[in-house]
Amino acid sequence: MTTVAAPYAGTALDRVDGPEKVTGRARYAYENLPADLAYAVVVQATVSRGEVRAVDADSVLQLPGMIAAIWHENAPRLAPVEDAELTVLQSPRVAYRGQVVAIVVAETLESATEAARLLRVDYRAEPHDVELRADHPGMYRPDHVNPNYATDSELGDPDTALAFASVVVDATYTTPAQHHNPIEPHATVALWDADGLTLYDATQSASGVRATIAPLFALPPESVRVISPYVGGGFGGKGAPHAQVVLAALAAKQVGRPVKLAATRRQMFAVTGYRTPTVQRVRLGADEDGRLSAIVHEAFEQTATIKEFAEQTTVVTRMMYAAPHRRTSHRLVRLDVPIPTWMRAPGETPGMFALESAMDELAVACGIDPVELRVRNEPTIDPERGLPFSSRNLVACLREGAERFGWAGRDPEPGVRRRGRQLIGTGVASSTYPVYRLPSQASARAEPGGGFTVRIAAADIGTGARTVLTQIAADALRVPPAQVRMEVGDSALPRASVAGGSSGTASWGTAVLRACEALMAALHRRSGDVPPGGLEASADTAEELRSQRPLSRHAYGAQFAEVGVDLDTGEVRVLRLLGAFAAGRIINPKTARSQFIGGMTMGLSMALLEESVMDLEFGDYLNRDLAQYHVAACADVRDVDAFWIEEEDPELNPMGSKGIGEIGIVGTAAAIANAVYHATGIRVRDLPIRLDRLIGGGI
Amino acid sequence: MRPFAYERATDVRSAVAACAAGTADGAGAVYLGGGTNLVDLMRLGVVSPGVLVDVTRLPFDGIEETAGGGLLIGAGVRNSDLAAHPLVRRRYPMLAQAVVAGASGQIRNMATVGGNLLQRTRCSYFQDVSKPCNKRVPGSGCPARRGDHRNLAVIGQSEACVATHPSDMAVPLAALGAVVHIEGPGGPRQVPMPGFHRLPGDAPERDTVLEPGDLVTAVEVPPLPFAARSRYRKVRDRVSFAFAVVSVAAALDLEDGMVRDCRIALGGVAHIPWRADRAESALRGSPATEAAFAQAAAEELAMATPLPHNAFKVPLARNVVVRTLLDLVEAP
């Protein structure tokens, strides 16, 4: 595979949709106002397990402006599909508190909101179980973990290796449930007409929503159109359709009018997914020089009773460090809780908090510098798959990051550096994310009046995908980006994969490039002549992807943190964060930098702030707004910087790129926790690192 | 949303009359200031008044000097204006610091002094109408005691309620002994702080001593020259835009290394801005040393009765009292 010449790829092109966004012309799902629009508001279960016994629709139907109340007894029947998250209002069963049990439709949002408040729902409640514990008797071994990894892995004899290891770290780490909280809440406007169903939706995959929703209404996919040109953030929460998409379509069908349904911020804590809490036990066995002989990483997680989502928390450990004896596993328990889903780097994010904290503990136990410890355990091939790496520059990231951060000469002694009333410490952690590439299609068209239109049902959820694809197309078409009009976010465009798994640029970029190449070939055959009707070519990458060589493909990074911990209060402030990344070729340094430091900021937020608090008595997440669920504010984020190492890897895709949307969050929390240990001598193994964990720890 | 009537008051008597009439109707009437808390609570269904009496057009938006060197702060003064006022900054630095430590710039531009005093607790259960809460529905129970109470009260709470008062501004006002000016159906009256806010006891639905129809018109801050040496320290999980886990407002009057006088109040620990009388008494006439400060804080906090998940607030409050006083000693 060769890399294409690239005058525009690699340049910091401004976002091509910037003017639309800053002038308000970019239209988001909620902003669509078809004629005769009605408004729907959901009614959520107030029991955590049980059954809806009765819905007193008469109690609201006479209210002014009311159009309909819909619940399991009168809802349109949906075709049975496997995903119970989507077969809404089909049964009286309540699987978790906050599940949608009814929906009201009215002429105005205010009327619908009031009716939803007043609608009387009678339940038969059953005792619920919402507490994740590693020793829960309901723990089971899922068939596989997300998206399709083996549940467990084992190599050699880790138990014996641990028994004979000179140094052993055996520690349990926990991460709490976390909610995505994109700035744009989930919203759908559903509209039925003679052609079928149109959905204006906030989604990371227009093609995916179409493919998922069509069968529920027994429609062929081409009868469903999903329009989502602008999306205000997703972080995985909009990766797959949630109940609100189906509810909007179902309500619109029932009332025979277009229906708008938006989740409120509070509702999003129950109905649009979250990251599972985890309990993770890590055991490391090493010799006195810190060379690992055994790695064991076991994860315990929750899922809902009606749908399994098995986060791949320990999969990253299968590849990260060399050790002859190793084991990873995942166990799940079905609880009466909302349905977990993908959230930015599912698996790697919680998994690397545990593994990289444990590596720091091993460095302390062995008296070895934590950068050096990682370098010492660098594998030459993927340790469990036995495959060569397409490229692996973890060591370069560690070395170069250490250099720029000023790591040299670091005194490992914890709790001895003071600046004013703060204890100061530094920490490091590795970062990584797999390289995924998914089949996609694209078309490229030479317009008769000049210029090109490139179409693909990709999603720009704020990442800059539209801009980066424009750069790739411009290079392939050998024109400036201004001559390329990039259309994304519509299922009527050539089918594309989800904006997930940091796979967008690789997957869509390949399709865009191939379509543009095909168009250039067609133009060449016509000596550059564009016919009056324009000239179009298309591409499908399915075949190309199947011929990819088996290799271990991952991006790597190293994160360095400096923290100050207040001696009197235990308040942790991240004074500096520096990320070093090796992620193939960077196509747009400006949007890439935003992804890296955005991910790191989210990692900082995870380290210090984010926690969805389960209310054991009532069975729901309690802190359902942004005043109570803390995400990092500007003042928390002081000095965050990222740089990247040039990486030539011809085994990836024609652009030579690795995904960069998620790696930034991986390892950040461990780097900060390790810095907190270095500052205070207190090892915090449970996120978030709030002041009470330090005050209580005897700072 | 439930429909409600909106009236814009043009003078104080008509405001009080409108509110009293609305209350007598049974619909429930409340005054609307900046709306930064009330409107949220209406959206959540926590409160659903039948009548909103907008008092932001009343002439209570000024800050005047009083004869003895204090300030009379109109109830309608926006938080941003209060914090920026030169006399507030010079005479009562802890008050200016507390106001800017609260909320966000946008909210401070809207929020009024009167409304800030009357903020409701941010206890999760209070804000969730699907759950019991004695403050919201008297007699329904308090799940916070056995549930999530990490950020709730450790002093002066009751079986019925463990909520905290969320205001930063009220903490230095309590330390300063500010006097709340009230216009009610029965005429004007004045209530000094502390004493304006109530401990929950068995009636946690009442946050303050206000009666139906009472309108806060001003807050009078008495002269206290040594408050020029004062400080507000707010401890919180997030660096900005978060309520206090614990906060301290303190002023020190020092002479030859001795504490001649002092004022101390705590936020984030009680149903009211907590005036630390015991600590103040212990400190008056004692040396301005870390040991004396620690002893005074310990005397105040000896009465704390924390719950399982907020016991950390007691050592935290002690540390913050001591550190804030030491900072004041070292202040130029």
Side-chain angles (χ1 to χ4, degrees):
Chain A
M1 211 179 278
T2 55
T3 303
V4 295
Y8 295 106
T11 63
L13 183 67
D14 286 342
R15 285 168 189 267
V16 296
D17 48 9
E20 279 76 19
K21 289 186 172 178
V22 298
T23 56
R25 276 181 290 144
R27 185 176 290 185
Y28 291 79
Y30 188 80
E31 298 173 312
N32 288 284
L33 296 163
D36 205 27
L37 182 65
Y39 293 82
V41 171
V42 301
V43 177
Q44 296 178 277
T46 55
V47 300
S48 297
R49 184 186 175 91
E51 251 176 40
V52 173
R53 215 152 40 184
V55 174
D56 183 8
D58 294 341
S59 62
V60 298
L61 282 174
Q62 79 291 353
L63 292 173
M66 272 296 292
I67 298 170
I70 308 168
W71 68 103
H72 69 273
E73 285 181 358
N74 67 348
R77 291 299 100 185
L78 298 168
V81 297
E82 200 180 321
D83 186 347
E85 181 173 9
L86 301 178
T87 51
V88 293
L89 305 182
Q90 303 295 295
S91 127
R93 287 298 305 170
V94 174
Y96 60 90
R97 191 178 174 106
Q99 189 177 10
V100 177
V101 294
I103 181 166
V104 293
V105 187
E107 297 290 347
T108 66
L109 176 63
E110 291 76 12
S111 302
T113 303
E114 177 67 356
R117 189 176 74 83
L118 292 174
L119 185 71
R120 281 200 298 271
V121 180
D122 184 26
Y123 299 94
R124 187 178 56 73
E126 299 165 12
H128 64 247
D129 180 0
V130 293
E131 188 176 15
L132 174 66
R133 290 179 287 119
D135 61 354
H136 195 291
M139 280 290 166
Y140 72 97
R141 182 182 179 282
D143 177 66
H144 63 277
V145 294
N146 178 63
N148 201 17
Y149 289 107
T151 305
D152 300 339
S153 73
E154 183 155 338
L155 208 64
D157 183 355
D159 297 318
T160 304
L162 282 169
F164 286 94
S166 307
V167 183
V168 173
V169 169
D170 181 352
T172 298
Y173 306 86
T174 67
T175 60
Q178 294 147 356
H179 281 79
H180 313 76
N181 281 305
I183 193 118
E184 177 205 26
H186 296 59
T188 306
V189 175
L191 168 62
W192 292 84
D193 60 21
D195 297 330
L197 173 63
T198 301
L199 297 165
Y200 299 92
D201 190 31
T203 177
Q204 294 173 227
S205 176
S207 301
V209 171
R210 178 174 74 166
T212 308
I213 298 302
L216 279 160
F217 293 94
L219 294 169
E222 56 273 19
S223 297
V224 176
R225 182 165 176 204
V226 180
I227 302 172
S228 55
Y230 297 98
V231 181
F235 307 117
K238 295 170 184 167
H242 298 290
Q244 112 271 348
V245 185
V246 190
L247 287 162
L250 178 148
K253 189 173 187 184
Q254 177 94 330
V255 303
R257 290 170 60 173
V259 165
K260 175 183 287 190
L261 174 57
T264 64
R265 183 65 62 185
R266 290 178 74 81
Q267 288 166 355
M268 287 166 67
F269 282 80
V271 297
T272 57
Y274 62 100
R275 192 197 297 283
T276 178
T278 70
V279 180
Q280 301 176 58
R281 184 177 180 199
V282 180
R283 279 172 287 172
L284 303 176
D287 65 19
E288 277 151 18
D289 297 329
R291 283 194 176 73
L292 288 163
S293 55
I295 307 176
V296 177
H297 190 173
E298 301 157 289
F300 303 89
E301 312 163 357
Q302 72 188 32
T303 191
T305 57
I306 56 167
K307 180 175 178 176
E308 181 183 277
F309 177 79
E311 178 131 350
Q312 68 272 39
T313 304
T314 71
V315 166
V316 66
T317 301
R318 297 173 188 169
M319 166 283 301
M320 206 59 210
Y321 298 111
H325 305 283
R326 39 207 310 143
R327 180 192 300 135
T328 66
S329 66
H330 300 83
R331 295 295 177 267
L332 245 60
V333 60
R334 292 186 183 275
L335 299 173
D336 303 310
V337 295
I339 303 163
T341 188
W342 307 319
M343 180 166 160
R344 206 170 197 171
E348 287 81 12
T349 298
M352 285 289 273
F353 166 67
L355 179 64
E356 291 301 293
S357 294
M359 285 296 280
D360 200 65
E361 299 203 46
L362 180 64
V364 171
C366 295
I368 296 172
D369 179 81
V371 169
E372 194 53 40
L373 177 76
R374 288 169 171 86
V375 172
R376 212 166 275 187
N377 287 288
E378 176 74 359
T380 51
I381 58 166
D382 186 313
E384 299 204 18
R385 293 172 71 202
L387 294 171
F389 295 104
S390 69
S391 56
R392 175 169 166 133
N393 283 300
L394 172 60
V395 171
C397 289
L398 286 162
R399 294 273 190 235
E400 179 73 18
E403 174 69 30
R404 295 203 194 192
F405 186 77
W407 185 264
R410 174 183 184 261
D411 174 7
E413 186 67 22
V416 294
R417 284 153 302 276
R418 282 273 297 273
R419 195 180 297 151
R421 294 298 296 170
Q422 279 187 329
L423 289 166
I424 305 295
T426 53
V428 64
S430 299
S431 184
T432 185
Y433 195 80
V435 174
Y436 295 110
R437 192 158 59 127
L438 303 167
S440 289
Q441 301 169 356
S443 71
R445 178 181 168 81
E447 301 294 353
F452 296 87
T453 305
V454 178
R455 296 187 169 95
I456 181 165
D460 189 331
I461 58 174
T463 54
R466 193 184 259 111
T467 306
V468 165
L469 294 177
T470 300
Q471 291 172 267
I472 292 168
D475 283 343
L477 297 166
R478 299 191 182 88
V479 295
Q483 288 189 42
V484 177
R485 179 183 157 75
M486 178 63 56
E487 292 185 6
V488 302
D490 187 337
S491 68
L493 303 173
R495 184 167 51 77
S497 56
V498 63
S502 297
S503 67
T505 300
S507 308
W508 311 327
T510 304
V512 163
L513 178 74
R514 297 302 180 218
C516 290
E517 285 172 349
L519 177 64
M520 289 297 275
L523 278 171
H524 185 69
R525 285 193 295 275
R526 298 178 58 93
S527 307
D529 173 55
V530 178
L535 188 66
E536 186 165 318
S538 60
D540 184 332
T541 64
E543 193 64 33
E544 178 173 346
L545 266 56
R546 270 196 292 273
S547 63
Q548 194 157 266
R549 282 213 299 157
L551 288 170
S552 184
R553 295 177 173 85
H554 304 265
Y556 293 89
Q559 304 224 21
F560 294 82
E562 181 182 9
V563 304
V565 181
D566 191 293
L567 268 170
D568 302 299
T569 66
E571 291 166 295
V572 179
R573 302 294 181 242
V574 177
L575 307 174
R576 271 197 302 155
L577 267 185
L578 176 67
F581 299 98
R585 199 152 138 245
I586 297 302
I587 295 175
N588 186 322
K590 192 181 234 178
T591 54
R593 186 181 143 76
S594 289
Q595 286 300 305
F596 288 135
I597 66 174
M600 292 165 69
T601 299
M602 204 166 173
L604 182 161
S605 194
M606 167 190 179
L608 302 185
L609 301 167
E610 293 190 40
E611 177 180 22
S612 302
V613 178
M614 174 52 72
D615 185 349
L616 296 180
E617 179 176 359
F618 294 94
D620 58 357
Y621 288 110
L622 195 56
N623 47 337
R624 296 194 297 275
D625 59 47
L626 296 176
Q628 300 180 83
Y629 182 95
H630 285 175
V631 298
C634 292
D636 294 281
V637 185
R638 299 180 180 202
D639 180 353
V640 177
D641 201 5
F643 70 94
W644 47 89
I645 285 161
E646 292 302 324
E647 196 175 60
E648 288 291 325
D649 184 340
E651 296 287 354
L652 301 170
N653 57 58
M655 291 77 61
S657 64
K658 294 176 177 176
I660 55 172
E662 291 163 274
I663 190 170
I665 193 178
V666 179
T668 322
I672 292 169
N674 297 342
V676 168
Y677 171 79
H678 187 231
T680 65
I682 300 171
R683 179 67 65 180
V684 181
R685 299 188 181 90
D686 307 286
L687 294 183
I689 308 168
R690 279 190 316 235
L691 55 94
D692 37 326
R693 304 206 197 274
L694 296 166
I695 287 279
I699 187 178
Chain B
M1 192 179 285
R2 179 175 148 181
F4 57 87
Y6 169 86
E7 294 179 30
R8 182 178 292 167
T10 50
D11 65 83
V12 65
R13 290 317 307 166
S14 70
V16 171
C19 196
T23 305
D25 263 3
V30 295
Y31 296 112
L32 173 68
T36 57
N37 188 203
L38 177 63
V39 173
D40 282 353
L41 293 174
M42 290 173 69
R43 287 198 172 124
L44 292 170
V46 172
V47 295
S48 43
V51 184
L52 289 189
V53 181
D54 183 345
V55 293
T56 56
R57 307 299 167 100
L58 299 184
F60 302 141
D61 56 353
I63 299 177
E64 299 160 25
E65 287 194 74
T66 58
L71 292 177
L72 184 68
I73 302 164
V77 170
R78 305 288 171 170
N79 285 189
S80 304
D81 294 333
L82 174 65
H85 197 280
L87 289 179
V88 174
R89 294 165 67 93
R90 195 178 316 139
R91 292 181 185 172
Y92 312 106
M94 63 178 168
L95 178 56
Q97 290 165 13
V99 173
V100 296
S104 65
Q106 293 89 337
I107 290 174
R108 292 194 295 270
N109 286 342
M110 286 296 291
T112 63
V113 166
N116 191 326
L117 279 182
L118 299 178
Q119 281 187 81
R120 310 302 308 273
T121 185
R122 286 343 192 259
C123 173
S124 308
Y125 297 96
F126 175 72
Q127 297 184 84
D128 184 347
V129 295
S130 73
K131 293 174 184 169
C133 167
N134 287 323
K135 185 181 280 298
R136 182 167 33 76
V137 182
S140 60
C142 175
R145 290 194 75 88
R146 52 188 185 272
D148 182 49
H149 52 248
R150 173 184 177 267
N151 207 13
L152 299 180
V154 294
I155 307 181
Q157 72 272 33
S158 68
E159 278 300 309
C161 183
V162 295
T164 46
H165 194 262
S167 170
D168 290 298
M169 183 195 78
V171 181
L173 289 179
L176 290 163
V179 177
V180 182
H181 291 222
I182 298 162
E183 190 76 31
R189 69 185 201 283
Q190 300 182 356
V191 177
M193 292 176 69
F196 175 74
H197 294 95
R198 292 180 70 259
L199 285 173
D202 55 8
E205 68 277 14
R206 292 191 60 199
D207 291 352
T208 67
V209 299
L210 290 180
E211 298 293 336
D214 278 351
L215 174 65
V216 174
T217 58
V219 175
E220 184 178 349
V221 187
L224 190 73
F226 75 81
R229 186 196 283 257
S230 68
R231 184 171 289 226
Y232 185 72
R233 173 74 188 272
K234 179 177 182 177
V235 179
R236 44 188 154 176
D237 292 319
R238 180 161 61 184
V239 180
S240 75
F241 213 175
F243 293 95
V245 175
V246 164
S247 68
V248 172
L252 262 189
D253 185 9
L254 295 174
E255 190 177 45
D256 299 333
M258 303 291 285
V259 177
R260 188 159 56 190
D261 199 358
C262 65
R263 297 294 177 88
I264 305 169
L266 297 169
V269 297
H271 197 256
I272 59 175
W274 185 267
R275 177 74 175 266
D277 297 311
R278 284 176 173 74
E280 289 181 12
S281 307
L283 277 181
R284 283 189 192 100
S286 82
T289 60
E290 181 164 356
F293 296 155
Q295 176 60 30
E299 285 189 29
E300 188 68 42
L301 293 163
M303 56 198 303
T305 52
L307 297 162
H309 303 305
N310 65 9
F312 74 93
K313 282 193 176 188
V314 177
L316 178 60
R318 180 197 60 222
N319 290 357
V320 182
V321 167
V322 171
R323 179 53 44 193
T324 306
L325 293 171
L326 283 171
D327 285 346
L328 285 171
V329 171
E330 291 157 13

